[in-house]
């Protein structure tokens, strides 16, 4: 495969590829009104979208905004369904194929066959290894302040341009990246344009591409062997506290200078015996424990499900599907007694 994307836009812009993006985008959401209405005339809409993308007249629509409170207050910007088809087409036909292969092995978010559970198990395995090799060692836990809100769109676009020379694809990516900018931000060339919309299918991959710059720096410049990242949450292991402090200083400087990001107050250096909070678990060399916040959420969710079953609004089979994610979460943790207390796991 070529290292850069050249003249691929027209080759991959087909009716069939757009229809496939539509089928994948509606998966599990076919009951929603906007998707039902789209599906009634899907051939016409897909052909219209094809012509717009072919002629370069496609314009990304606006967003509907709402907020979620779990796990914390977040602003969600939801794009039109037809725009979500474009996001899917771009990611599946260009970005994943060309960019994911450049990611380090220990980057886990939104990548097939990786994910948070593999991240936790790999971290624990490495902690056991460090315990054998070093005895006591130090953990540098890093978290980026308001990551999605502070991604600089101009820097992101420059990173994409290093691998993409296809002008049509760059035009479309620019249309997506700057889609939530105000008119004033677009017109003012000196404006600082920051923030990716949480809710776009493209945003998580853009976020991974952006922090891949940090990953490459840590692995190849700082030569840190034991480093793991799940989106903006990362952890590394070193032998001494002095080394951990030195790495933290260099990483802060790199983030500020190259990506215009800063680490938040959750960033700390720990002794290995304290373990580390990562991807919802409290991890040490021999145990994976659910954090207290996770236990509270689990109790609340099971209480809600029991109430719905008691009132006949939910069957046991439906409840099991509803709790599938939580059951997977519990499955990887060493909490046999807690699991049996709340529900039986097959």
């Amino acid at each position: 495969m070529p290292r850069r994307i050249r003249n691929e836009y027209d080759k991959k812009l087909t009716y069939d590829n757009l229809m496939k993006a539509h089928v994948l985008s509606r998966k599990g959401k076919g009951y929603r009104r906007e998707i039902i209405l789209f599906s009634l005339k899907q051939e016409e809409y897909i052909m219209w979208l094809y012509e717009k993308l072919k002629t370069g007249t496609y314009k990304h629509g606006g967003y509907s905004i709402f907020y979620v409170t779990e796990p914390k207050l977040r602003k969600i910007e939801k794009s039109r369904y037809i725009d979500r088809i474009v996001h899917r087409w771009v990611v599946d036909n260009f970005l994943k194929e060309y960019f994911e292969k450049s990611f380090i092995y220990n980057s886990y978010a939104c990548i097939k066959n990786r994910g948070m559970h593999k991240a936790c198990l790999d971290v624990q395995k490495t902690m056991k290894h460090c315990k054998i090799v070093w005895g006591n060692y130090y953990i540098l836990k890093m978290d980026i302040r308001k990551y999605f809100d502070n991604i600089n769109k101009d820097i992101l676009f420059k990173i994409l341009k290093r691998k993409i020379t296809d002008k049509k694809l760059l035009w479309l990516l620019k249309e997506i990246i700057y889609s939530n900018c105000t008119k004033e931000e677009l017109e003012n060339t000196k404006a600082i344009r920051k923030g990716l919309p949480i809710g776009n299918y493209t945003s998580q991959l853009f976020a991974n591409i952006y922090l891949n710059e940090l990953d490459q720096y840590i692995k190849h410049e700082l030569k840190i062997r034991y480093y793991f990242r799940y989106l903006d949450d990362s952890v590394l292991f070193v032998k001494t506290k002095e080394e951990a402090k030195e790495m933290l200083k260099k990483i802060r400087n790199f983030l500020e200078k190259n990506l215009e990001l800063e680490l938040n107050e959750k960033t700390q250096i720990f002794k290995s015996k304290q373990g580390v909070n990562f991807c919802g678990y409290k991890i040490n060399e021999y145990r994976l424990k659910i954090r207290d916040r996770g236990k509270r959420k689990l109790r609340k969710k099971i209480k809600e499900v029991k109430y719905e079953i008691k009132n006949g609004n939910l069957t046991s089979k439906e409840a099991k599907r509803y709790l599938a994610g939580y059951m997977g979460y519990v499955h990887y943790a060493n909490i046999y007694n807690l699991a049996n207390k709340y529900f039986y796991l097959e």
Side-chain angles (χ1 to χ4, degrees):
M1 180 189 292
R3 294 181 65 184
R4 289 183 173 80
I5 305 177
R6 299 186 181 92
N7 305 318
E8 291 291 316
Y9 183 90
D10 286 324
K11 293 178 186 176
K12 298 195 175 178
L13 178 58
T14 66
Y15 175 89
D16 288 340
N17 280 342
L18 289 173
M19 182 59 76
K20 182 180 178 182
H22 159 52
V23 171
L24 291 171
S25 297
R26 75 182 180 189
K27 191 174 181 180
K29 305 167 188 172
Y31 59 89
R32 295 181 181 176
R33 186 173 182 273
E34 60 176 339
I35 298 177
I36 293 172
L37 293 175
F38 186 95
S39 297
L40 290 173
K41 296 184 178 180
Q42 61 185 19
E43 292 85 2
E44 295 175 36
Y45 285 131
I46 294 295
M47 185 53 70
W48 177 86
L49 182 57
Y50 170 82
E51 292 297 332
K52 288 290 183 181
L53 291 169
K54 186 77 174 177
T55 58
T57 55
Y58 165 79
K59 291 289 182 185
H60 196 286
Y63 291 89
S64 55
I65 297 173
F66 61 96
Y67 293 85
V68 295
T69 56
E70 289 291 342
K72 59 184 178 182
L73 183 65
R74 281 198 179 102
K75 176 184 176 184
I76 306 297
E77 295 175 83
K78 181 182 175 184
S79 55
R80 303 177 306 171
Y81 179 68
I82 200 163
D83 294 322
R84 299 204 293 275
I85 293 173
V86 176
H87 300 165
R88 171 74 72 163
W89 176 71
V90 167
V91 168
D92 290 354
N93 287 277
F94 302 104
L95 300 183
K96 272 190 178 181
E97 186 176 359
Y98 283 87
F99 283 90
E100 277 193 0
K101 291 182 179 180
S102 68
F103 294 167
I104 64 170
Y105 181 75
N106 292 335
S107 173
Y108 296 89
C110 312
I111 301 174
K112 189 176 180 181
N113 299 323
R114 297 193 199 175
M116 62 180 288
H117 293 134
K118 179 170 173 51
C120 291
L121 293 174
D122 284 356
V123 164
Q124 186 180 49
K125 182 179 178 181
T126 302
M127 291 175 78
K128 290 178 182 178
H129 174 75
C130 291
K131 182 73 173 176
I132 294 169
V133 175
W134 290 331
N136 295 322
Y137 59 95
Y138 284 83
I139 302 167
L140 172 53
K141 174 72 167 56
M142 297 178 289
D143 198 5
I144 294 173
R145 187 182 306 278
K146 296 183 179 179
Y147 179 47
F148 277 88
D149 291 337
N150 286 309
I151 291 175
N152 186 303
K153 298 172 190 288
D154 298 330
I155 294 174
L156 172 62
F157 193 63
K158 286 177 183 177
I159 293 169
L160 293 170
K161 283 174 71 175
R162 294 207 301 257
K163 196 176 279 286
I164 302 170
T165 58
D166 190 314
K167 291 183 179 179
K168 291 183 178 180
L169 180 57
L170 286 172
W171 155 75
L172 181 57
L173 288 171
K174 196 170 187 178
E175 185 69 30
I176 294 170
I177 290 169
Y178 293 92
S179 58
N180 65 337
C181 285
T182 64
K183 186 178 178 181
E184 291 75 17
E185 286 175 332
L186 292 172
E187 290 175 351
N188 184 1
T189 56
K190 293 184 179 180
I192 299 174
R193 295 177 281 254
K194 287 191 173 185
L196 292 183
I198 300 175
N200 277 2
Y201 186 66
T202 52
S203 292
Q204 287 182 324
L205 188 50
F206 284 152
N208 260 344
I209 291 169
Y210 200 75
L211 271 190
N212 184 52
E213 301 294 300
L214 175 65
D215 297 343
Q216 300 300 327
Y217 173 72
I218 289 174
K219 297 295 282 187
H220 300 297
E221 297 292 327
L222 299 183
K223 307 291 185 184
I224 298 296
R225 184 176 181 183
Y226 306 121
Y227 166 71
F228 305 84
R229 181 175 66 81
Y230 188 90
L231 211 55
D232 62 328
D233 199 7
S234 57
V235 61
L236 61 84
F237 307 124
V238 291
K239 188 175 181 180
T240 66
K241 189 172 184 179
E242 290 70 28
E243 189 179 356
K245 287 180 177 180
E246 183 184 355
M247 293 303 107
L248 177 57
K249 182 180 178 181
K250 289 180 178 179
I251 289 167
R252 284 190 193 275
N253 289 338
F254 179 88
L255 285 170
E256 183 179 348
K257 182 179 177 181
N258 295 277
L259 300 176
E260 295 186 5
L261 297 172
E262 60 181 21
L263 298 171
N264 65 20
E265 63 283 350
K266 294 179 185 177
T267 298
Q268 294 181 41
I269 296 170
F270 303 97
K271 291 181 179 178
S272 58
K273 64 182 181 181
Q274 293 177 253
V276 62
N277 290 330
F278 191 61
C279 293
Y281 295 95
K282 178 74 173 181
I283 309 172
N284 64 27
E285 289 89 354
Y286 306 104
R287 283 184 69 88
L288 271 178
K289 296 173 67 177
I290 292 179
R291 296 170 62 186
D292 290 341
R293 186 175 67 184
K295 290 179 186 178
R296 288 195 296 270
K297 286 175 63 179
L298 179 62
R299 292 190 191 102
K300 182 180 177 182
K301 190 62 64 175
I302 291 173
K303 187 177 179 181
E304 290 172 1
V305 168
K306 285 181 177 178
Y307 178 82
E308 293 298 326
I309 292 173
K310 185 178 179 180
N311 286 277
N313 300 324
L314 206 64
T315 66
S316 297
K317 190 175 181 180
E318 289 170 337
K320 189 172 181 179
R321 285 202 302 269
Y322 185 67
L323 290 170
Y326 287 90
M327 292 170 77
Y329 179 45
V330 169
H331 172 74
Y332 283 90
N334 307 117
I335 52 164
Y336 179 81
N337 292 333
L338 183 67
N340 283 336
K341 181 179 179 181
Y342 289 108
F343 49 67
Y344 173 73
L345 294 177
E346 295 180 352

